[in-house]
Amino acid sequence: MSAFQAQDPDYEARVRRTFANQPAMATLGISLVRMEPGTLELHMPYDAKFSQQNGFLHAGAISTALDTACGLASYTLMPAQADILTVEFKINLLAPAKGQSFRFVGSVVKPGRTLVIVDGRAFANDDGREKLIATMSATMMTMLRQN
């Protein structure tokens, strides 16, 4: 159960539309698998096209997925007329991204009227064992549309 309350009763449809409008997610094979107010989870199968020289998932793909998980987690708490923009993030790569699939979770720490602080966690699933491979701290900005 989420500790946060969505401002927009139709937040789930709005978040899914925003996710679907990000071609990078489709290119990377990332799917949105779970959301509730303040939390969002993405999954990605391993694809060698997005690996680095040692065959591990590239840090750029991890950063992209975590940025999206964090951004959309914060977006679940924003008003219906809002749009979202990343202000900053810091990522810690904790272990090589080795596995058959990956899970990315964004969780709001503190929602604000304009800025939302979010934590992200990336996990690798390797032969049935899940391992934390990266963390992210991010700040997202609420941009209110004037229409």
Side-chain angles (χ1 to χ4, degrees), residues 7 19 35 61 70 80-81 83 91 96:
Q7 295 182 52
F19 178 80
M35 93 171 80
C70 287
Q81 71 276 19
D83 209 339
I91 188 167

Side-chain angles (χ1 to χ4, degrees), residues 8-84:
D8 174 12
D10 198 30
Y11 79 91
E12 190 170 341
R14 181 172 44 85
V15 170
R16 288 188 186 284
R17 273 192 310 274
T18 296
F19 178 80
N21 285 330
Q22 294 186 33
M25 296 298 101
T27 299
L28 289 168
I30 296 174
S31 57
L32 194 165
V33 296
R34 184 177 66 86
M35 93 171 80
E36 60 186 65
T39 304
L40 188 123
E41 183 175 327
L42 304 174
H43 285 191
M44 176 184 179
Y46 176 78
D47 187 330
K49 291 185 299 203
F50 306 114
S51 65
Q52 46 82 288
Q53 69 278 4
N54 302 113
F56 306 131
L57 186 63
H58 195 283
I62 296 167
S63 298
T64 299
L66 277 176
D67 176 44
T68 299
C70 287
L72 293 179
S74 65
Y75 199 42
T76 65
L77 300 178
M78 293 182 184
Q81 71 276 19
D83 209 339
I84 179 93

